[in-house]
């Protein structure tokens, strides 16, 4: 069997439906102190990863590698950075978030649950027929989801339109969007960034999940993006590069949005697919692969409280 071959029809395994210690943690603000903020986000990310792998195993479907690479970004945004809460989810002045790499839906749903936007027990319905928690997020089913995504290259253009609307309103609200690095091979993203730069959308922040892997191959072997930072700058972006698994570094990067230059911000978050699981990290096989019961047990052990 090839190292990248996937089970096309994996078996459902409801016996491992999520049952561990996931809880609503909610937002933590800067006045708690930097150490407390970082610890809060790290614990949230640990719990999200534990539930995510259980959900994927139970459903027999999911994109766990790319979910694990982006979880630290998601919890940092929802539990600290963004001006949005379960109570203000319909406030016109709320910050917006769009997951352009919509195949990482399980990570988004679990983060939303930890942040209090989605009931915890609803996570057990992931990928079930007629469930709200589809394999790709739909804003027709979950109020906190700003845009239905899945087709790669769509989320960033939507985010640019959202940021333009905010600018026309004279609003300080920000729009954050996460794209995969393989997704940047879609030309629609570059058209959107050119538009963002032209209109000076300072309230827009594009986060690139730079895990360097895509379905079946390394990004560099498919269509190399480098020099990515230089390209983003050439399209009118203010570029920040960070360790995408370092919550403190992410907090600092997002604190600079909007940029003083008046340009939209691009955060290149250097991550690893499958992080931090030993058998999964930086392995292209885990783009769309369901872990075995033994692999779930190993991962949960590795994700126990340090």
């Amino acid at each position: 069997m090839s190292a990248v071959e996937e089970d096309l029809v994996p078996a459902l395994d409801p016996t491992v439906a999520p049952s561990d210690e996931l809880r609503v943690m909610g937002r933590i603000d800067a006045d708690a102190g930097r150490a407390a903020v970082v610890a809060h986000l790290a614990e949230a990310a640990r719990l999200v990863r534990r539930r995510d792998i259980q959900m994927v195993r139970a459903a027999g479907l999911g994109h766990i590698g790319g979910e694990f690479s982006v979880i630290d970004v998601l919890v940092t945004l929802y539990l600290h950075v963004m001006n949005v809460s379960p109570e203000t989810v319909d406030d016109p002045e709320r910050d917006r978030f769009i997951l352009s790499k919509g195949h990482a839906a399980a990570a988004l749903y679990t983060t939303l649950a930890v942040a209090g936007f989605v009931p915890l027990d609803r996570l057990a319905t992931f990928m079930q027929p007629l469930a709200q928690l589809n394999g790709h997020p739909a804003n027709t089913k979950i109020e906190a989801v700003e845009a239905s995504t899945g087709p790669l290259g769509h989320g960033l253009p939507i985010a640019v339109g959202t940021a333009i609307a905010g600018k026309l309103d004279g609003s300080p609200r920000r729009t954050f969007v996460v794209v995969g690095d393989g997704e940047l091979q879609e030309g629609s993203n570059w058209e959107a960034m050119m538009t963002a730069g032209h209109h000076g959308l300072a309230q827009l922040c594009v986060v690139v999940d730079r895990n360097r892997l895509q379905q079946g191959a390394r990004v560099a072997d498919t269509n190399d993006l480098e020099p990515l930072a230089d390209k983003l700058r050439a399209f009118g972006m203010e570029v920040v590069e960070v360790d995408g698994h370092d919550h403190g570094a992410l907090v600092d990067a997002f604190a600079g949005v909007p940029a003083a230059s008046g340009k939209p911000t691009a955060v290149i978050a250097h991550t690893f697919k499958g992080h931090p699981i030993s058998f999964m990290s930086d392995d292209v096989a885990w783009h769309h692969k369901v872990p075995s019961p033994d692999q779930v047990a190993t991962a949960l052990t590795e994700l126990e409280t340090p």
Side-chain angles (χ1 to χ4, degrees):
M1 178 183 289
S2 165
V4 298
E5 187 174 340
E6 300 168 356
D7 297 328
L8 297 181
V9 189
L12 300 178
D13 191 358
T15 61
V16 292
S19 61
D20 71 1
E21 74 277 27
L22 190 70
R23 62 187 184 276
V24 176
M25 295 184 62
R27 178 185 177 86
I28 185 167
D29 292 319
D31 56 10
R34 184 179 179 82
V37 169
V38 171
H40 185 84
L41 298 176
E43 176 63 2
R46 185 185 74 85
L47 295 179
V48 168
R49 286 187 171 95
R50 287 180 63 88
R51 182 57 60 94
D52 188 291
I53 196 168
Q54 292 174 302
M55 287 168 58
V56 170
R57 175 64 196 174
L61 291 167
H63 292 83
I64 193 167
E67 289 161 5
F68 274 35
S69 70
V70 78
I71 282 170
D72 297 300
V73 170
L74 295 180
V75 299
T76 301
L77 288 172
Y78 274 101
L79 275 67
H80 177 67
V81 172
M82 291 197 301
N83 179 29
V84 64
S85 69
E87 295 72 35
T88 62
V89 72
D90 58 353
D91 186 340
E93 292 306 300
R94 71 190 181 279
D95 285 342
R96 269 60 164 184
F97 174 79
I98 296 171
L99 181 66
S100 191
K101 49 173 287 179
H103 54 281
L108 176 61
Y109 300 148
T110 312
T111 300
L112 288 173
V114 167
F117 292 90
V118 172
L120 294 174
D121 59 4
R122 196 164 297 166
L123 296 177
T125 69
F126 176 59
M127 295 291 287
Q128 290 183 5
L130 304 180
Q132 288 181 299
L133 308 188
N134 292 347
H136 295 85
N139 70 339
T140 56
K141 294 194 172 189
I142 303 174
E143 187 178 17
V145 171
E146 297 285 356
S148 300
T149 57
L152 298 180
H154 286 200
L156 179 50
I158 293 171
V160 169
T162 301
I164 289 174
K167 186 172 184 177
L168 290 173
D169 289 342
S171 171
R173 65 182 182 259
R174 298 171 296 176
T175 299
F176 296 86
V177 55
V178 169
V179 301
D181 50 0
E183 182 180 6
L184 290 182
Q185 294 163 0
E186 292 279 1
S188 54
N189 288 305
W190 297 97
E191 294 175 14
M193 285 189 281
M194 181 167 59
T195 300
H198 173 74
H199 288 284
L201 301 181
Q203 307 302 113
L204 174 69
C205 179
V206 181
V207 185
V208 180
D209 182 15
R210 189 73 166 111
N211 62 34
R212 292 180 168 76
L213 293 174
Q214 60 189 101
Q215 183 173 357
R218 291 200 168 270
V219 172
D221 294 334
T222 306
N223 194 0
D224 197 3
L225 297 174
E226 293 300 335
L228 179 57
D230 291 343
K231 291 175 181 177
L232 294 171
R233 291 188 184 99
F235 274 71
M237 312 287 286
E238 196 73 47
V239 180
V240 182
E241 298 194 58
V242 298
D243 177 347
H245 301 304
D246 182 330
H247 298 101
L250 288 167
V251 166
D252 292 342
F254 294 136
V257 180
S261 65
K263 298 178 180 180
T265 299
V267 175
I268 301 176
H270 294 281
T271 63
F272 291 100
K273 210 159 194 170
H275 176 85
I277 305 305
S278 58
F279 60 84
M280 193 186 301
S281 184
D282 201 35
D283 186 344
V284 70
W286 286 96
H287 176 80
H288 188 271
K289 185 175 180 179
V290 178
S292 69
D294 287 345
Q295 288 171 326
V296 171
T298 297
L300 292 178
T301 297
E302 294 184 10
L303 291 168
E304 288 178 355
T305 304

